[in-house]
């Protein structure tokens, strides 16, 4: 692992600062609330399962580091075994206001349960086992080697859409599950997804990974052209996801050890370089554009905080994997950009969205819903190389 001098002091201190912002996120009706710009819970919004899961995951990681947040972890587990869980049909609602069952949220249930189990939270092991069983039985498509996307509440109608985003977070979840349970089947599932979508689709499209597919996994390049800034299904290629897939490919290689295919790190490097070439300061201003078309031309030039966090994390991870100092230089550059433009010293956390001039905006995201991306990105440089954050903290402990 690189020396502490490779990491700016503010980055080393940032996880604790973000945790302070997040501590008051508990919703009185269960789960974790969407947070506004000052970190106040927005109680008139439905409780989102993905927000609850991501915050539970963050609190579990903090607990593994010795923070006194056991009550917050327990609060998250209680929501996932209570109001957000469908006791009649199984699985988890998308939110307290939306009963459909999405692979995206179910991936985060697995991630939260794995991290909470690693932290020793009561009920988390059983929650993890149930979540993995649901994902395996309801979402995993063996012939495709990937997960489907959205079911209705009763598991009778499956949407005629398949997406890379839900699969990416399923990779993240499976790697955590593999670390926490010791069962290699989950790393094998993660490899199947990465091989299909990164080594297959991304490589075939010049490393600009298509996000949208039909039920037969045929690419839908024009999907959502009329809604290019969609927060979950935007048109075109998503720059931040290229970085995220790059990091996860390296993590996957660590999970697989000697059995890892030789293409994982080169593919990760290709995704990284494509994201930099088409995403970073391409319109005359510092910052990453949100999306591009498949020629690499910017489509949505809004700057989102999660994109720079994933760029930082990918740069650090690839530097660890290769020793190439160019990645460390990029990490330093983007840390400086994040501190200058996104880190909010006045109200807390990070500004979630900036306009193309790097001024605060709220066209894609309102408020500062959770701290998951920034927390992970700033925690990562203090951890040993591992397949997942929970696994790294377990190893360190």
């Amino acid at each position: 692992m690189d020396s502490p001098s490779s990491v700016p002091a503010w980055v080393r201190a940032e996880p604790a600062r973000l945790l302070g912002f997040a501590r008051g996120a508990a919703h009185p009706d269960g789960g974790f609330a969407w947070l506004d710009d000052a970190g106040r819970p927005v109680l008139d919004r439905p409780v989102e399962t993905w927000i609850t899961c991501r915050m539970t995951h963050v609190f579990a990681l903090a607990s593994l580091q010795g923070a006194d947040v056991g009550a917050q972890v327990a609060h998250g587990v209680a929501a996932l075994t209570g109001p957000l869980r469908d006791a009649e049909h199984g699985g988890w609602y998308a939110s307290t206001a939306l009963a459909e069952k999405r692979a995206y949220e179910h991936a985060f249930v697995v991630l939260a349960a794995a991290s909470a189990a690693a932290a020793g939270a009561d009920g988390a092991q059983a929650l993890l086992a149930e979540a993995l069983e649901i994902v395996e039985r309801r979402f995993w498509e063996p012939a495709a080697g990937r997960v489907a996307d959205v079911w209705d509440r009763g598991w009778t109608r499956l949407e005629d859409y398949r997406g890379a985003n839900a699969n990416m977070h399923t990779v993240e979840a499976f790697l955590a599950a593999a670390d926490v349970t010791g069962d290699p089947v989950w790393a094998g599932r993660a490899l199947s997804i990465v091989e299909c979508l990164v080594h297959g689709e991304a490589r075939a499209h010049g490393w600009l990974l298509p996000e949208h597919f039909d039920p037969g996994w045929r690419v839908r390049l024009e999907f959502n052209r009329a809604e290019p800034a969609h927060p979950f299904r935007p048109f075109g290629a998503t720059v931040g996801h290229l970085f995220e897939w790059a990091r996860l490919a390296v993590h996957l290689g660590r999970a697989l050890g000697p059995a890892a295919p030789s293409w994982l790190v080169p593919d990760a490097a290709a995704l990284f370089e494509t994201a930099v070439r088409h995403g970073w300061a391409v319109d005359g201003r510092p910052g990453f554009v949100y999306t591009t078309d498949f020629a690499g031309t910017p489509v949505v030039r809004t700057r989102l905080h999660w994109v720079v966090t994933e760029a930082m994390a990918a740069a650090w991870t690839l530097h660890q994997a290769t020793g190439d100092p160019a990645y460390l230089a990029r990490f330093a550059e983007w840390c400086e950009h994040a501190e200058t433009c996104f880190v909010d010293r006045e109200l807390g956390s990070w500004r979630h969205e900036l306009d193309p001039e790097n001024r605060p905006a709220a066209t894609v995201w309102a408020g500062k819903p959770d701290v998951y991306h920034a927390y992970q990105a700033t925690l990562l440089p203090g951890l040993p190389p591992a397949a997942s954050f929970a696994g790294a903290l377990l190893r360190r402990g």
Side-chain angles (χ1 to χ4, degrees):
M1 189 167 62
D2 293 86
S3 69
S5 62
S6 303
V7 184
W10 77 264
V11 172
R12 296 197 301 271
E14 189 65 2
R17 193 182 77 93
L18 289 164
L19 192 66
F21 183 86
R23 278 181 181 272
H27 196 291
D29 296 335
F32 293 104
W34 190 285
L35 300 178
D36 70 9
D37 286 332
R40 295 179 295 256
V42 182
L43 298 182
D44 59 351
R45 285 186 67 120
V47 174
E48 304 271 4
T49 298
W50 62 277
I51 292 287
T52 292
C53 290
R54 285 171 21 160
M55 293 294 265
T56 303
H57 166 66
V58 165
F59 286 123
L61 297 183
S63 179
L64 283 165
Q65 297 170 86
D68 183 16
V69 290
Q72 285 88 343
V73 180
H75 183 80
V77 172
L80 295 171
T81 53
L84 293 171
R85 177 177 174 270
D86 186 346
E88 180 180 358
H89 297 286
W92 286 266
Y93 304 122
S95 74
T96 52
L98 188 60
E100 67 184 16
K101 312 290 175 60
R102 299 171 174 170
Y104 183 86
E105 280 82 0
H106 281 70
F108 278 115
V109 175
V110 172
L111 180 66
S115 298
D122 289 345
Q125 290 281 3
L127 175 64
L128 176 59
E130 181 181 4
L132 286 169
E133 189 275 331
I134 289 287
V135 170
E136 176 83 3
R137 179 160 55 96
R138 298 295 192 181
F139 291 101
W140 183 252
E141 298 188 322
R146 286 158 279 189
V147 293
D149 218 271
V150 180
W151 286 93
D152 68 331
R153 181 189 174 191
W155 309 103
T156 60
R157 294 185 305 277
L158 180 60
E159 185 183 10
D160 62 349
Y161 171 90
R162 301 293 184 271
N165 191 9
N167 276 272
M168 181 184 71
H169 285 293
T170 300
V171 169
E172 177 186 34
F174 282 173
L175 291 177
D179 262 348
V180 171
T181 67
D183 188 341
V185 70
W186 304 116
R189 293 277 193 272
L191 174 60
S192 175
I193 295 170
V194 172
E195 185 165 15
C196 291
L197 290 175
V198 172
H199 199 55
E201 297 293 351
R203 186 163 57 96
H205 290 84
W207 302 105
L208 289 166
L209 174 67
E211 295 274 341
H212 314 297
F213 302 83
D214 72 9
W217 286 99
R218 291 175 290 270
V219 174
R220 301 170 69 179
L221 294 182
E222 294 299 305
F223 187 88
N224 262 358
R225 180 179 280 276
E227 196 176 356
H230 193 284
F232 295 105
R233 296 179 177 182
F235 164 74
T238 305
V239 170
H241 285 168
L242 302 183
F243 287 122
E244 207 162 351
W245 280 107
R247 173 175 63 83
L248 289 169
V250 177
H251 290 336
L252 174 60
R254 294 169 182 161
L256 296 171
S262 61
W263 50 261
L264 278 170
V265 172
D267 281 18
L271 288 168
F272 183 95
E273 293 305 324
T274 301
V276 175
R277 183 168 65 254
H278 296 303
W280 173 247
V282 293
D283 55 1
R285 294 281 185 175
F288 290 101
V289 298
Y290 179 32
T291 63
T292 75
D293 64 18
F294 290 98
T297 304
V299 175
V300 179
R301 295 170 52 226
T302 301
R303 274 73 163 138
L304 299 178
H305 94 290
W306 71 265
V307 179
V308 72
T309 67
E310 290 300 336
M312 291 163 54
W316 183 265
T317 303
L318 277 163
H319 175 65
Q320 284 185 319
T322 67
D324 187 340
Y327 291 120
L328 196 59
R330 285 296 193 185
F331 173 78
E333 180 181 16
W334 296 333
C335 285
E336 182 179 357
H337 171 66
E339 185 181 23
T340 300
C341 296
F342 284 99
V343 175
D344 189 342
R345 299 290 178 191
E346 180 182 355
L347 296 178
S349 189
W350 293 34
R351 301 174 187 93
H352 271 40
E353 181 180 336
L354 305 175
D355 71 11
E357 304 297 320
N358 287 313
R359 298 170 301 200
T363 59
V364 180
W365 294 109
K368 299 168 179 171
D370 70 331
V371 299
Y372 154 85
H373 281 288
Y375 188 88
Q376 289 196 152
T378 54
L379 178 64
L380 182 63
L383 298 179
S388 72
F389 287 88
L393 287 165
L394 286 170
R395 181 183 303 177
R396 191 173 71 175

